[in-house]
Amino acid sequence: MGPFNTPWLTFLAWLVAGACVVFSIIWAIWLYKPQENDDE
Amino acid sequence: MNSTYLYAIVIAAYLCVLILIGLLTGRRTKSVEDFYIGGRQIGPWVTALSFVAAYFSSVVIIGGGGFGYMFGMSTLWIGAINVLLGTMICWMVLGPRVRQFTQRLNTMTIPGFFGERYRSKFALMFSAVIIVVFMIFYNVSILKGMGHIFEVLMDIPYGYGILLASIIILFYVSIGGYLAVVWTSFVQAWVMGIGLVLLTIFSVRAIGGIGAANLNLAALDSGLVQTPGIWGWPGLVSFALIVSFGVWGMPQLVVRFYSIKNLKVLKIGTVIATIGTCMALLPYFNGAIARTLFPQLGNPDLAIPILAKNVLSPLGSAVVLAAVVAAGMSTFASILIILSSSVIDDIYRKGFQRQVNREKILFWSKVASALIGTISLIVALKPPALVLTLTAFAWAVIASTTLWPLLLGIYWKRATGWGCAASMVAGCATSLAWMAAGKPFGIHGFIPGIIIGGLVFVIVSLVTPPFPEEHIQRIWQAKSKN
């Protein structure tokens, strides 16, 4: 059983949403580099 | 103060803000490009939050609460997949290329992109007609949802409720076009976020904490807290996919990538949209909590309205009502612009090859949005049984028709016009037939539609001649002259 009496598989849904927010920030800062000539 | 009056005051104030935005943006809408895609000058906050608002209609908030009520906490996964697949990956995969390619091909609509990318008038016309027909059905379902909210929470008769909402929407869409839609949607996203967060805080407090909510739900039925729980994998997975992957083919959402200012702005927009979409988990969560507080509700769709009325003050409840109405209005308005552009620019101007000057297109686009909105309103006042059945098909049919031609059109150089046309027909026909057969095995029609559509696209493209190199060069490597 995970936090708040939630089964882990159900609790994972909250974690997935949170992880998406973190990853989108990482992607925007470090991973995605639009080229100058891409910026139309 | 009587709560009905309070609701009326909050809703009236909110509607006045929308009218004001319509008037202000109307002054800035001077060209067809402004009317359809805001002149491709929309910033990250407005693009991202208007995407979120258009994504979640009142059907999702009320229906999501209903799903949470019926199936419990496993439905949180629908919201989580919305964030992961429907927003984050969608923005990363589609956003940059859709923005670049549509500018290179000088197209303002999804069917217009198909017409240019695949040099196919059939793809242009078929997708435009499917979008127009099924989007009208979808709009009818949104209006119906709003009408019932007015009826249940404010005691306003169904017909008057949707009449009021439609007139306001038609006003600001006809005057301000896309700019009015994105700016009103921006405000509506904030109203939705505040309303849902408020409801969540007070409903958790009312039940005695999240842990208590789970214990109470498990006491009713352990399947209400487990995943996949009482819904089962086929239903849960296929529904999560249609409302997440299906988004990739929904024109009212994809058009946000056409209109964003540039690719640097798109990076910021991706983060904002991902954070904003997290509110998708809340209707399901609140619906599940409502199950423990009010286990005997006759209609699951009443879960959110009843919860709001019971755990919030009248003012808080009015904000939730405004949030639900906002969700419906933003989606309805976004679809009106898509419908107007499909009818005037895709079907009339390009499909029938009419020479019309830009001022006339702008004028007729405004007239078309008003007319189509009025038709949706008239149908929604007393929807025939067939229309009600077809509203359930709308997302599946549109996504099955447009998703692969869009995705493969920006990532696969070998994709051909024949592949696109065959995929559109096969995907559309399969999803329609599957839904008409009563969703065998509990699987949503989108799943077979998208599988068959994808297979047909690849096979037909591989056996038909590729495009000349100059056409591919133009799309992949040409630089804008602007």
Side-chain angles (χ1 to χ4, degrees):
Chain A
M1 192 64 79
F4 308 110
N5 302 316
T6 314
W8 274 109
L9 192 54
T10 304
F11 188 72
L12 193 59
W14 293 108
L15 296 181
V16 166
C20 286
V21 172
V22 173
F23 182 74
S24 70
I25 294 169
I26 292 170
W27 178 82
I29 295 175
W30 289 294
L31 301 181
Y32 180 56
K33 303 278 182 215
Q35 302 295 309
E36 277 304 307
N37 56 11
D38 282 344
D39 215 358
E40 296 176 15
Chain B
M1 188 187 284
N2 183 316
S3 60
T4 304
Y5 285 122
L6 197 58
Y7 291 165
I9 290 168
V10 170
I11 292 288
Y14 161 69
L15 295 179
C16 285
V17 171
L18 301 187
I19 292 171
L20 187 65
I21 292 172
L23 290 171
L24 291 174
T25 52
R27 293 181 192 169
R28 290 172 53 195
T29 301
K30 295 187 171 70
S31 68
V32 182
E33 198 172 44
D34 290 339
F35 191 81
Y36 288 160
I37 52 174
R40 296 190 202 264
Q41 288 299 317
I42 312 293
W45 282 92
V46 175
T47 302
L49 292 183
S50 70
F51 175 94
V52 173
Y55 194 160
F56 301 112
S57 68
S58 46
V59 179
V60 173
I61 295 186
I62 296 298
F67 276 119
Y69 187 89
M70 282 189 293
F71 301 119
M73 292 292 181
S74 68
T75 54
L76 288 171
W77 272 104
I78 300 168
I81 301 299
N82 285 166
V83 181
L84 174 70
L85 190 57
T87 301
M88 190 189 77
I89 298 179
C90 175
W91 274 66
M92 291 173 180
V93 171
L94 289 186
R97 290 201 177 199
V98 167
R99 174 66 178 81
Q100 289 177 300
F101 286 26
T102 55
Q103 183 155 26
R104 287 171 191 169
L105 293 172
N106 194 24
T107 60
M108 295 182 286
T109 64
I110 299 270
F113 171 73
F114 296 149
E116 291 291 323
R117 165 65 181 85
Y118 297 106
R119 289 179 169 172
S120 165
K121 194 187 266 191
F122 176 83
L124 170 98
M125 289 295 272
F126 187 81
S127 58
V129 169
I130 290 291
I131 286 170
V132 169
V133 172
F134 284 92
M135 279 291 181
I136 288 181
F137 293 143
Y138 185 42
N139 258 356
V140 169
S141 73
I142 293 167
L143 277 179
K144 266 189 78 226
M146 277 196 286
H148 289 311
I149 292 301
F150 280 118
E151 210 171 22
V152 171
L153 281 185
M154 291 176 66
D155 297 323
I156 292 178
Y158 172 82
Y160 291 126
I162 58 172
L163 195 63
L164 175 69
S166 304
I167 288 171
I168 305 274
I169 297 169
L170 292 184
F171 171 78
Y172 71 71
V173 172
S174 301
I175 289 191
Y178 186 79
L179 280 175
V181 169
V182 288
W183 276 101
T184 50
S185 297
F186 173 73
V187 171
Q188 286 155 343
W190 282 105
V191 175
M192 287 160 64
I194 291 168
L196 283 171
V197 168
L198 207 60
L199 179 64
T200 305
I201 291 169
F202 281 87
S203 57
V204 167
R205 207 174 70 166
I207 195 81
I210 299 172
N214 281 312
L215 282 178
N216 291 351
L217 271 177
L220 287 173
D221 184 336
S222 64
L224 290 170
V225 291
Q226 302 284 347
T227 299
I230 55 179
W231 201 352
W233 285 116
L236 183 61
V237 171
S238 64
F239 189 79
L241 280 179
I242 170 68
V243 294
S244 300
F245 193 38
V247 165
W248 295 36
M250 299 308 281
Q252 78 274 20
L253 298 171
V254 175
V255 75
R256 297 295 188 273
F257 303 133
Y258 285 50
S259 67
I260 201 161
K261 207 170 184 177
N262 57 46
L263 296 184
K264 293 189 183 84
V265 165
L266 191 134
K267 274 204 309 191
I268 306 164
T270 304
V271 178
I272 299 167
T274 304
I275 294 170
T277 312
C278 287
M279 76 165 99
L281 280 83
L282 301 183
Y284 301 103
F285 182 67
N286 282 300
I289 289 182
R291 178 72 176 259
T292 65
L293 290 172
F294 315 102
Q296 303 298 331
L297 281 186
N299 177 2
D301 284 350
L302 292 177
I304 296 290
I306 296 290
L307 189 66
K309 264 191 165 177
N310 283 278
V311 303
L312 291 170
S313 65
L315 182 61
S317 186
V319 172
V320 171
L321 168 67
V324 175
V325 174
M329 291 181 84
S330 57
T331 309
F332 185 92
S334 300
I335 290 173
L336 269 190
I337 290 287
I338 295 298
L339 287 169
S340 162
S341 60
S342 293
V343 170
I344 301 299
D345 200 54
D346 297 325
I347 297 177
Y348 182 71
R349 190 175 74 84
K350 290 179 183 156
F352 294 122
Q353 293 183 317
R354 304 286 174 176
Q355 297 296 323
V356 195
N357 69 42
R358 308 289 279 183
E359 286 76 27
K360 277 197 174 166
I361 295 176
L362 178 60
F363 171 77
W364 284 111
S365 298
K366 292 181 176 188
V367 172
S369 57
L371 268 178
I372 294 165
T374 308
I375 292 169
S376 306
L377 170 64
I378 291 168
V379 177
L381 282 172
K382 201 169 182 185
L386 177 65
V387 170
L388 288 180
T389 309
L390 289 174
T391 56
F393 295 13
W395 266 64
V397 173
I398 295 169
S400 301
T401 305
T402 60
L403 198 154
W404 290 121
L406 180 68
L407 185 59
L408 295 178
I410 57 175
Y411 277 98
W412 194 33
K413 292 179 181 176
R414 187 65 180 77
T416 69
W418 285 106
C420 167
S423 163
M424 281 181 172
V425 175
C428 173
T430 306
S431 64
L432 262 177
W434 194 271
M435 299 291 277
K439 294 198 278 187
F441 315 110
I443 294 172
H444 199 284
F446 170 70
I447 304 294
I450 209 71
I451 291 171
I452 299 292
L455 284 173
V456 168
F457 196 119
V458 172
I459 293 166
V460 175
S461 287
L462 290 174
V463 298
T464 47
F467 279 112
E469 193 54 31
E470 53 84 16
H471 180 63
I472 297 301
Q473 289 284 323
R474 178 183 166 221
I475 301 167
W476 259 264
Q477 292 177 9
K479 301 303 169 200
S480 169
K481 292 184 176 65
N482 296 328

